Amino acid sequence: MSPDPVVFTVASPDPVGGRPADKWASLDMPAIVKQLKATGVYAPEDQAPELKKLVAQAKADGHDLFVVVTDQQFAPFTVYRDVAHVLQESTGGTVLVFGPGGNLGTSSTDFSRVQLEDATSEAHSGAAPAQQAREIYEKAIDPNVDWTLATIALIVVVVIGAVIARVRGLRKSDVDEAESNAVQAVDDEAATKA
């Protein structure tokens, strides 16, 4: 008699079901895209002026920034990133999507996913979207250390140091050998005279 087979659940089906866009079907995406292309901001009237200033600053810095603020709650929180990605495909640049409860999503052609994740992790949760958007943008444009170049530079310095040390070591051994030969020659000369 054998035991019953063991069943492992690798992934559970999506409880909401359907395509990803079904999760945010309540958003009027064409209207949002139209507003973003016109002003760079899709947000409640009380938040739009400050966000438009940030969008204008980003434009002056050479970046296309678009900010969406919605009061709609979506689950899971990754939906905000999906919305940002879909909008970014229409607008280009960088899209920040803010939802209630500190939920946010980002998508960009200007900044890497690492830069955006780093910037969003340092934004003050619970702050107004305008403040969070400014913090994210300012952190994203901060100069970042290019660790690949830093590593290559360090390797080059170490190799140059090793070559210099080797050359000095060879010169020292040549000098030591010459001194030794000179001493030996003096000793040989003294021995032949004696």
Side-chain angles (χ1 to χ4, degrees):
M1 180 174 242
S2 66
D4 291 336
V6 177
V7 177
F8 293 99
T9 303
V10 178
S12 62
D14 184 1
V16 177
R19 298 170 298 145
D22 292 342
K23 295 176 184 176
W24 65 79
S26 57
L27 291 176
D28 185 354
M29 296 298 269
I32 294 173
V33 169
K34 182 178 178 183
Q35 184 69 30
L36 289 177
K37 287 183 177 181
T39 66
V41 174
Y42 181 86
E45 287 183 31
D46 62 326
Q47 298 177 32
E50 192 65 30
L51 291 170
K52 287 179 183 177
K53 286 180 190 175
L54 178 61
V55 167
Q57 176 190 343
K59 186 63 122 178
D61 294 341
H63 298 285
D64 291 325
L65 179 66
F66 303 95
V67 183
V68 175
V69 179
T70 180
D71 61 354
Q72 296 183 36
Q73 183 76 37
F74 299 109
F77 67 92
T78 56
V79 170
Y80 296 95
R81 184 186 60 218
D82 297 339
V83 170
H85 181 70
V86 169
L87 291 171
Q88 191 268 332
E89 288 176 341
S90 297
T91 62
T94 301
V95 177
L96 308 177
V97 177
F98 294 92
N103 290 315
L104 66 103
T106 61
S107 185
S108 180
T109 55
D110 292 344
F111 306 107
S112 70
R113 172 62 42 204
V114 172
Q115 287 173 296
L116 291 175
E117 293 296 329
D118 188 34
T120 57
S121 70
E122 292 190 19
H124 291 90
S125 60
Q131 179 183 343
Q132 283 186 311
R134 180 164 296 284
E135 290 172 357
I136 291 168
Y137 175 70
E138 288 175 355
K139 177 63 179 172
I141 63 171
D142 271 351
N144 292 307
V145 175
D146 186 343
W147 289 108
T148 302
L149 291 178
T151 302
I152 290 170
L154 183 60
I155 290 170
V156 168
V157 168
V158 169
V159 168
I160 290 171
V163 168
I164 290 171
R166 180 69 179 151
V167 168
R168 284 187 177 175
L170 289 175
R171 283 186 185 167
K172 183 168 177 13
S173 68
D174 288 346
V175 169
D176 289 347
E177 187 177 330
E179 287 176 0
S180 176
N181 288 342
V183 169
Q184 184 66 36
V186 170
D187 287 346
D188 288 347
E189 187 177 320
T192 56
K193 287 183 182 179

